[in-house]
Amino acid sequence: MSKKVDNKIYHIYLKDKCLYHSLSEESFQEHWAMLCNMIELLSNGYSKEDLSYTAVNLPKKEEVCSSSY
């Protein structure tokens, strides 16, 4: 029996610089929330509009749970 796994990864950018790459959904949510809060709190010349991200769908992989020949 095999089961297909859908993989999605995220990259977070500040302007044109990649801050984090290849994040899982869970890590992305945590990092995105942290960065949005930090930008609001710090007077660093950046705004929320300077943050962006891309979500990349990776090819589906098959996990083989058991095989018989």
Side-chain angles (χ1 to χ4, degrees), residues 12-19 46 49-52:
I12 299 177
Y13 301 89
L14 180 62
K15 292 196 174 188
D16 61 348
K17 183 177 181 180
C18 183
L19 298 178
Y46 295 110
E49 289 75 32
D50 294 327
L51 284 175
S52 63

Side-chain angles (χ1 to χ4, degrees), residues 8-25:
K8 186 182 272 192
I9 59 171
Y10 296 83
H11 309 303
I12 299 177
Y13 301 89
L14 180 62
K15 292 196 174 188
D16 61 348
K17 183 177 181 180
C18 183
L19 298 178
Y20 298 99
H21 63 87
S22 305
L23 297 173
S24 67
E25 174 80 26

Side-chain angles (χ1 to χ4, degrees), residues 4 24 67:
K4 292 193 181 224
S24 67
S67 356

Side-chain angles (χ1 to χ4, degrees), residues 11-66:
H11 309 303
I12 299 177
Y13 301 89
L14 180 62
K15 292 196 174 188
D16 61 348
K17 183 177 181 180
C18 183
L19 298 178
Y20 298 99
H21 63 87
S22 305
L23 297 173
S24 67
E25 174 80 26
E26 184 179 338
S27 290
F28 166 73
Q29 295 296 334
E30 292 171 5
H31 284 81
W32 184 257
M34 176 198 61
L35 288 168
C36 288
N37 289 332
M38 282 178 54
I39 282 192
E40 285 184 356
L41 295 173
L42 301 174
S43 299
N44 55 15
Y46 295 110
S47 68
K48 278 188 177 181
E49 289 75 32
D50 294 327
L51 284 175
S52 63
Y53 69 90
T54 57
V56 180
N57 288 316
L58 298 176
K60 292 183 179 181
K61 296 181 180 179
E62 287 195 12
E63 290 183 353
V64 178
C65 296
S66 65

